[in-house]
Amino acid sequence: MDAIDLAIIGGTGVYRLASLEDTQAIEGETPYGAPSGPVRVGRLAGRRVAFLARHGEGHSLPPHRVNYRANLWQLESLGAQRVLAINTVGGITERFGPRVLALPDQLIDYTWGRTSSFWDGEGGELLHVDFGDPYTPSLRQAVREAAAKSAIELVDGGCYGATQGPRLETRAEIARMRRDGCDLVGMTGMPEAGLARELGLDYACLAVVANWAAGCGDDAEITLADVLANVDAASAGLPALLDALLA
Ligand code: HPA
């Protein structure tokens, strides 16, 4: 099978890559069950690119029901070595207001009850992967350079806090996350990043800030309509950024 130059996992509000051409939909089960939907493999900027909608193309899967293992396994078995994850998030600290695109360099995992490893005891294998830098520095650098080349503003760095959802957080939970050092809050960053590391994939997170987290910024009520409008606006630069990343 031909290698895939880049796999993209789309988050809330990013269900298709319009610029992907000659696409083929690849369906099928993995040893870990079914992925969130078909992997669409096609050409983008002359390169072979795979796209998978994390929540399903009709957004039918909440964050705690996504089969993260099947998704990453499927991408890897199709020949992907680099995964760019797009994650919709809330902003906690000042630099991360709505409509910002961010490239976090750290994360804290607050999720619970999710299957978080490929090595669950079957086969007797025990794997403690290094995870000091949860996002692959070389891929982060490539994204940073692509953003600069395509004049897309990107906030570089920051800590992503992964919460369980699907409800949003309380003000006290966000205040605690701020004290912990989180800049961003989202529900899908883990176990995805850890599983990618277990498979040896390069993995980076492009976080799309949809709203201020509870008690932050203007402290407005968070509505789905605002979230989607902000994701749409912030994602407008994505095609140019992807072109530059693949060039
Ligand atoms: N919290 C958690 N996840 C999110 C948020 C939020 O405020 N906004 C978008 N995804």
Side-chain angles (χ1 to χ4, degrees), residues 5 32 55 60 63-64 107 109 117 119 124 127 166 177 205 217 224 229 236:
D5 288 296
Y32 302 96
H55 297 280
S60 51
H64 61 293
L107 70 77
D109 187 6
S117 175
W119 319 112
L127 197 71
M177 292 178 75
C205 163
L224 187 60

Side-chain angles (χ1 to χ4, degrees), residues 88-90 163 168-169 185-187 210-211 213 222:
T88 299
V89 298
T163 56
L168 294 160
E169 300 72 32
V185 53
M187 302 174 189
N211 55 274
I222 301 166

Side-chain angles (χ1 to χ4, degrees), residues 83-100:
V83 177
L84 181 63
I86 301 173
N87 299 82
T88 299
V89 298
I92 298 176
T93 53
E94 210 177 309
R95 291 194 303 153
F96 299 91
R99 304 195 173 192
V100 159

Side-chain angles (χ1 to χ4, degrees), residues 53-110:
R54 183 185 290 111
H55 297 280
E57 290 179 351
H59 201 135
S60 51
L61 293 165
H64 61 293
R65 292 274 178 228
V66 171
N67 189 337
Y68 296 95
R69 293 201 300 182
N71 287 353
L72 287 162
W73 187 270
Q74 189 76 316
L75 294 174
E76 201 256 356
S77 65
L78 290 171
Q81 264 308 304
R82 304 197 291 171
V83 177
L84 181 63
I86 301 173
N87 299 82
T88 299
V89 298
I92 298 176
T93 53
E94 210 177 309
R95 291 194 303 153
F96 299 91
R99 304 195 173 192
V100 159
L101 278 182
L103 189 65
D105 61 355
Q106 277 299 324
L107 70 77
I108 298 178
D109 187 6
Y110 300 91

